[in-house]
Structure formats: C-alpha cells, structure tokens
Amino acid sequence: MNLPETRSRHPLAFVALATLVAVACFTAIPANSLELVGIQTALAASCMVVLLVAAEPDVLSQRFRRPFAEPACETRCVRKTFVFVAGILFANGLFVGIVTALSITGKLPGEAMQVSAGPTFAPLGSIALFLAVCVATGVFEEGLFRGVISRGFSDALRAEGRKSPALTGAIASAFVFGVLHTANAPVAEFAGEVVVAQLVAKTVQATLFGFVMSAVLSHTGSLWTVVLLHTGFDILSMGPAFALTGELPSTYATGDPVDLAVLLISVAFLVPLAVHAWRILTHAAPPRTR
C-alpha cells in the first residue's frame, strides 16, 4: 500500500507516520544555537513537505479538499475570513512583539528578560536566519498539525460516522499543539504561582491558535494561507525582541508578571477568532476521502 492509499484508507496511520518523522528530525539535530535551530527546523519542514506531497501529490499545486456548507459564497466568505483572522492575529503578534521589546530595553517593569548592558542589536545575517526559522516553523507546524493531524482525525471520525468530524478533529489537534508548546518548558528553574499561570496561559494560547488555524485551512483549503498567517505572527511577536538581542525570546515559564500579562492579553485577542473558527467548523461539511 502506497502513501496516498494509506492517507485515504488509514488516516491515523498516516498521522502516526508523520509524527514519527517529525520526532526523528528533531532528535537527529540538537538545538543549542540559532544556526542549529535553523537546520533542525528546515529539516523538519522539508520532511513534512515531502511526506505531504508523497501522500497527496497535488498538495502544492492545488488546494486541499475544502469542505464548504455554502459553495455559492465561497470567494466572499474566504476573503472575509482571511481579512478578519489576519487582522486580529497580526495585531496580536505586533502587540506581543512591542511589549516584549519594551520589557527587554527596560521601558517596562520586569527583570526576567531584561538585558543588563542594554540592547545588543542583531546583525543582518542573524535577522535573515531568524526570518528563515520563522518560515520553516510555519511550514513544519502547519504541515504536521493542520495538514496531517487535524485532517487525519477529521477523516477518521468521518469514517466512523461521528458528528462534526471537522470540529472534533480540530479540537483534538489543537489540544496536542497546545500541550506540546509547554511540554519542554524549564519549570525546574522557576517556582511560584506566576510560572504555573504562565504555563496554563501559554497552553491555552497555543491551543486557541491551533484551533483557529485548523478552521482557516478547512475554510480556505490552502496550506500556504495558514503558513503565511503562522509565519507572520511569529515574526511580529518575536522579531522586535530578537532584533534587540540576537536571541529567540521566551515569554513563558519566566516568573515575570509582565510576561504573564502579555500572554493573558494574547489569549484575549484569540478568543473572537476561536469563536469564529467554531462557527466555521460546525457548519463545514466532512472532507471527502479520495
């Protein structure tokens, strides 16, 4: 049985295969520098694209299967959804990025992320590498969690005759996405209620983000649309701080109340998007299996 048949007849087996490939990519290369993070993420993104293309050859040239309840309003609905999601998501990312940068430069209270000797601006080469990492991360995470896991769960639930398979599949993949974002947090280095609240907030934030991305993929049928949204959010939310320090910032498990406040506000940004995503996925027809 080839990959297209596996993807069609045994979607959860394809999910397991893609997950193993991802784990292998991140295990093969350590990530103790920005350069190695770039290589690691590029490898994972490349493997995911190859796997997706092998399983669904037209994935890069045509749209994914697009479940739509009202085909007559496809173009209008897709455009409105993209503008709505992109507007709020990019505003969210810009807010996080600016506040994080202000905290680093000492313009805001908080010591966990401040640079004692003042900001050290990253060289252009490092900024280019940072942008490449953001793109590769968007390709990898959207390819795996939305292109494979969310759609795989949806197809498996549909085959069992379950109700709202697109919605349930999106919830399941978003939960996994959220948990994995804090699974390796260095909790042992910190203590206190603020850290616990940060970990919870970060999990909720990532879960809502993943849920929204699943809805956008279901609604638009375009993997590159969700990659663009994901990449743009990462650049806006981490770019200002990286430009000042040359290091990828972390705003959770720091014990800093400012970081916690930023996370909570970011969650608030995502709530209306999640509500809209729920409506999209509730009315979406189940994806068809080739």
Side-chain angles (χ1 to χ4, degrees), residues 241-267:
F242 181 84
L244 292 177
T245 65
E247 297 181 0
L248 295 174
S250 175
T251 56
Y252 60 97
T254 64
D256 189 345
V258 173
D259 294 338
L260 174 59
V262 171
L263 272 175
L264 292 176
I265 295 174
S266 180
V267 169

Side-chain angles (χ1 to χ4, degrees), residues 139-156:
V139 172
F140 165 70
E141 292 189 352
E142 294 309 318
L144 175 61
F145 289 98
R146 262 60 73 180
V148 175
I149 296 179
S150 182
R151 295 170 70 240
F153 283 162
S154 297
D155 284 352

Side-chain angles (χ1 to χ4, degrees), residues 1-2 18 25 62 93 96 145 180 203 219 226 247 251 277 280:
M1 183 180 295
N2 55 32
C25 289
Q62 298 180 18
V96 172
F145 289 98
L180 289 179
T203 301
H219 198 57
V226 290
E247 297 181 0
T251 56
I280 290 174

Side-chain angles (χ1 to χ4, degrees), residues 2 33 87 99 115 207:
N2 55 32
S33 69
V99 175
V115 181
T207 299

Side-chain angles (χ1 to χ4, degrees), residues 66-85 215-216 219-220 276 280:
R66 176 167 52 179
F68 243 94
E70 298 177 287
C73 70
E74 282 190 12
T75 301
R76 177 173 57 85
C77 291
V78 169
R79 185 181 298 112
K80 288 176 62 178
T81 296
F82 176 79
V83 171
F84 176 65
V85 173
V216 173
H219 198 57
T220 66
H276 189 61
I280 290 174

Side-chain angles (χ1 to χ4, degrees), residues 43-115:
L43 174 63
S46 299
C47 289
M48 202 52 52
V49 169
V50 169
L51 193 63
L52 282 168
V53 171
E56 195 166 350
D58 61 357
V59 66
L60 298 182
S61 59
Q62 298 180 18
R63 290 175 172 177
F64 274 130
R65 300 187 305 276
R66 176 167 52 179
F68 243 94
E70 298 177 287
C73 70
E74 282 190 12
T75 301
R76 177 173 57 85
C77 291
V78 169
R79 185 181 298 112
K80 288 176 62 178
T81 296
F82 176 79
V83 171
F84 176 65
V85 173
I88 295 182
L89 199 64
F90 290 168
N92 185 356
L94 188 59
F95 165 79
V96 172
I98 291 175
V99 175
T100 301
L102 290 175
S103 178
I104 288 176
T105 57
K107 299 298 183 181
L108 293 176
E111 300 178 355
M113 292 183 58
Q114 287 188 15
V115 181

Side-chain angles (χ1 to χ4, degrees), residues 193-281:
E193 297 178 354
V194 173
V195 171
V196 174
Q198 283 180 300
L199 293 175
V200 173
K202 182 61 183 180
T203 301
V204 173
Q205 181 211 39
T207 299
L208 291 176
F209 183 93
F211 183 69
V212 171
M213 291 299 99
S214 288
V216 173
L217 178 59
S218 175
H219 198 57
T220 66
S222 171
L223 177 63
W224 301 118
T225 297
V226 290
V227 169
L228 172 63
L229 292 173
H230 192 142
T231 301
F233 177 81
D234 284 351
I235 291 174
L236 290 172
S237 61
M238 295 188 293
F242 181 84
L244 292 177
T245 65
E247 297 181 0
L248 295 174
S250 175
T251 56
Y252 60 97
T254 64
D256 189 345
V258 173
D259 294 338
L260 174 59
V262 171
L263 272 175
L264 292 176
I265 295 174
S266 180
V267 169
F269 268 102
L270 290 169
V271 169
L273 294 183
V275 172
H276 189 61
W278 185 281
R279 293 172 181 168
I280 290 174
L281 292 166

